[in-house]
């Protein structure tokens, strides 16, 4: 097939996945252009961001495979639409997911728009997910490599966005991708995978956050006994379910974070990983996005966090515009601010943002 009149802009991060993505598209004959996004000022006060080195890797790979490349700056868009949201969520005591927001607002909005203005037909990234198109529309499927599947982070994309997207690695295993990078002898073939939140990198999370939000220490309370367990460093540093406290010397630990009270600035902890207080039976979510059409009430499976097996749930669209998600089995450490993402087998149906978590009794009251 002659693909030479189809223009694909590849988001090149300087990593191995997007290097192989660009090479595959070029070999398939597409008119391929590589673009690096600079989303964060790497000369900030902490001085640790790898954007300069990454762009150098983009240059090396683009030259090796013979495609034009350049860089665009979305620092302002990223700061306003992703970083500000990230800080606001922490201020509210929630645990945000900047990767979900970055995909929604930057990679598949600012970047996609930019590519379209350049005359591109598609944008491609090295995400591990699949998209299929037919007369009924676009469907997003899990990446074939279950261990790398990134649909969780792509749950907020619309049909319209996905209709202009290619994920060439969706059918591949990460191991295969590395192997191909070696076969092609790409400059990034041995580059380590990036970890963590991109703008924080390898930095200490607490130190990073304290540079932007004032830490407000308060009391740590055992939710079961009311006992004061000492001082916490600031509610924003803690995530529901996180281990907190050593549990040595017979004090009943280890302790786990079970809740936060923003008004009193108290952190609630409970003893034991499986403490009942950490389990819930349903949740309420907003920012609802369904990629595939669903009825007002349906059964499917869901993920409440990235690294988790799917759980069976019943989803109900509520009259007030929120989503109610009831779990078949009690789930541990559901965290407001994180995404709940729905699946029907291989299909990622879409997702929403977790706002509230309910226990049996409250759920009934809530359902009224
Ligand atoms: N700074 C960037 N500029 C352009 N595209 C990017 C950038 N960061 C990420 N992407 C695109 O988004 C995809 C997924 O991003 P993610 O941060 O999950 O990268 P990754 O899995 O580490 O992939 P890679 O090995 O390509 O860095 C990348 O494969 C790439 O296509």
């Amino acid at each position: 097939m002659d693909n030479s009149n189809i223009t694909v802009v590849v988001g090149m991060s300087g990593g191995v996945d997007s290097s192989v993505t660009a090479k595959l598209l070029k070999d398939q004959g597409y008119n391929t252009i590589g673009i690096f996004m600079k989303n964060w000022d790497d000369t900030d006060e902490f001085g640790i961001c790898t954007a300069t080195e990454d762009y150098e890797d983009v240059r090396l790979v683009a030259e090796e495979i013979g495609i034009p490349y350049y860089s665009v700056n979305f620092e302002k868009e990223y700061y306003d639409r992703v970083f500000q949201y990230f800080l606001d969520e922490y201020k509210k005591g929630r645990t945000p997911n900047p990767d979900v927001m970055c995909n929604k607002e930057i990679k598949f909005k600012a970047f996609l728009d930019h590519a379209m203005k350049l005359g591109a037909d598609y944008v491609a990234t090295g995400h591990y997910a699949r998209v299929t198109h037919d007369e009924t529309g676009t469907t997003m499927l899990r990446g074939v490599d279950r261990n790398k599947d990134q649909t969780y982070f792509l749950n907020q994309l619309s049909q319209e966005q996905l209709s202009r997207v290619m994920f060439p690695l969706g059918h591949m295993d990460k191991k295969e991708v590395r192997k191909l990078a070696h076969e092609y002898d790409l400059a990034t073939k041995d580059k380590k995978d990036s970890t963590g939140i991109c703008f924080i990198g390898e930095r200490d999370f607490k130190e990073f956050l304290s540079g932007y939000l004032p830490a407000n220490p308060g009391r740590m309370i055992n939710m079961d006994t009311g006992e004061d367990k000492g001082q916490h460093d600031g509610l924003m540093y803690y995530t529901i379910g996180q281990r907190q406290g050593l549990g040595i010397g017979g004090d009943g630990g280890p302790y786990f974070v079970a809740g936060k009270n923003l008004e009193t600035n108290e952190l609630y902890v409970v003893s034991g990983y499986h403490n009942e207080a950490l389990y819930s039976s349903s949740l309420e979510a907003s920012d609802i996005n369904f990629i595939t059409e669903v009825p007002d009430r349906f059964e499917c499976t869901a993920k409440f966090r990235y690294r988790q097996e799917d759980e069976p749930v019943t989803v109900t669209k509520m009259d007030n515009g929120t989503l109610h998600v009831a779990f078949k089995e009690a789930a541990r450490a559901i965290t407001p601010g994180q995404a709940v993402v729905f699946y029907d087998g291989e299909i990622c149906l879409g997702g929403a943002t977790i706002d509230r978590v309910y226990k049996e009794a409250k759920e009934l009251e809530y359902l009224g």
Side-chain angles (χ1 to χ4, degrees):
M1 212 165 78
D2 179 19
N3 290 325
S4 62
N5 55 358
I6 302 174
T7 299
V8 184
V9 163
V10 185
M12 291 183 75
S13 62
V16 66
D17 291 334
S18 48
S19 302
V20 171
T21 302
K23 170 71 175 156
L24 290 173
L25 291 166
K26 168 76 176 166
D27 285 355
Q28 286 163 25
Y30 291 104
N31 177 30
T32 310
I33 302 168
I35 300 187
F36 174 77
M37 279 182 284
K38 190 162 182 292
N39 295 335
W40 193 254
D41 180 5
D42 64 350
T43 56
D44 70 6
E45 64 199 284
F46 301 102
I48 324 167
C49 184
T50 56
T52 314
E53 292 152 44
D54 289 339
Y55 188 51
E56 177 58 15
D57 286 332
V58 170
R59 181 183 75 77
L60 290 173
V61 171
E63 283 174 0
E64 276 168 359
I65 63 183
I67 60 168
Y69 66 95
Y70 59 98
S71 153
V72 289
N73 192 308
F74 288 129
E75 277 169 43
K76 176 157 175 28
E77 289 83 350
Y78 192 90
Y79 197 96
D80 292 350
R81 301 190 215 163
V82 180
F83 194 62
Q84 202 52 57
Y85 141 85
F86 172 85
L87 295 180
D88 288 347
E89 287 285 280
Y90 275 115
K91 272 190 224 155
K92 290 183 209 153
R94 292 160 53 115
T95 305
N97 199 318
D99 292 332
V100 171
M101 198 54 103
C102 178
N103 284 328
K104 180 182 180 177
E105 293 292 336
I106 306 299
K107 287 180 184 154
F108 301 100
K109 192 171 275 170
F111 182 69
L112 182 76
D113 289 348
H114 180 79
M116 293 300 138
K117 276 195 203 124
L118 290 176
D121 298 290
Y122 294 97
V123 296
T125 62
H127 281 102
Y128 288 81
R130 289 173 285 163
V131 277
T132 60
H133 313 279
D134 63 19
E135 60 286 354
T136 65
T138 301
T139 306
M140 183 164 75
L141 304 159
R142 302 184 211 245
V144 164
D145 185 339
R146 273 298 171 101
N147 193 41
K148 286 293 292 182
D149 170 37
Q150 284 173 307
T151 49
Y152 182 83
F153 300 110
L154 299 165
N155 80 80
Q156 287 290 318
L157 300 192
S158 67
Q159 280 259 335
E160 207 201 337
Q161 286 166 306
L162 286 166
S163 67
R164 290 176 289 169
V165 162
M166 285 180 168
F167 298 134
L169 305 189
H171 294 88
M172 295 170 67
D173 222 70
K174 176 77 193 203
K175 276 203 203 101
E176 258 176 277
V177 173
R178 273 271 175 216
K179 212 170 125 222
L180 278 181
H182 276 261
E183 269 171 37
Y184 300 140
D185 198 23
L186 300 175
T188 50
K189 65 184 179 199
D190 290 319
K191 192 161 167 180
K192 231 176 80 202
D193 288 343
S194 53
T195 51
I197 299 170
C198 60
F199 53 83
I200 302 182
E202 306 295 319
R203 275 176 275 196
D204 180 68
F205 174 76
K206 250 173 134 165
E207 203 180 301
F208 176 83
L209 204 57
S210 69
Y212 292 92
L213 296 175
N216 186 11
R219 303 317 302 168
M220 196 151 67
I221 309 289
N222 182 333
M223 211 168 128
D224 289 326
T225 63
E227 200 186 342
D228 189 317
K229 298 305 294 180
Q231 184 179 281
H232 70 71
D233 299 335
L235 293 179
M236 63 187 180
Y237 297 132
Y238 304 87
T239 299
I240 307 297
Q242 173 192 343
R243 186 174 162 143
Q244 180 55 39
L246 293 172
I248 46 172
D251 74 341
Y255 290 92
F256 294 85
V257 174
K260 302 174 180 185
N261 186 331
L262 250 62
E263 268 161 44
T264 59
N265 194 28
E266 283 171 339
L267 183 76
Y268 300 130
V269 295
V270 290
S271 156
Y273 183 89
H274 287 298
N275 189 295
E276 216 229 317
L278 293 166
Y279 285 82
S280 55
S281 52
S282 71
L283 63 83
E284 184 186 288
S286 58
D287 304 325
I288 304 159
N289 177 58
F290 283 111
I291 301 161
T292 296
E293 222 175 290
V294 290
D296 288 347
R297 190 181 168 90
F298 61 99
E299 289 186 4
C300 66
T301 62
K303 275 192 202 206
F304 313 112
R305 59 175 59 77
Y306 177 48
R307 291 255 167 241
Q308 180 212 320
E309 290 292 315
D310 288 40
E311 303 278 351
V313 296
T314 302
V315 181
T316 310
K317 291 179 188 166
M318 305 301 280
D319 288 340
N320 64 2
T322 63
L323 211 58
H324 180 263
V325 183
F327 324 143
K328 198 153 193 187
E329 273 174 36
R332 185 182 178 276
I334 303 290
T335 307
Q338 289 290 295
V340 53
V341 182
F342 307 108
Y343 296 90
D344 176 7
E346 288 297 292
I347 300 172
C348 175
L349 299 167
T353 307
I354 300 167
D355 284 332
R356 270 178 272 280
V357 179
Y358 295 92
K359 280 242 182 230
E360 220 76 55
K362 268 197 185 163
E363 179 198 336
L364 292 174
E365 184 193 334
Y366 164 73
L367 282 175

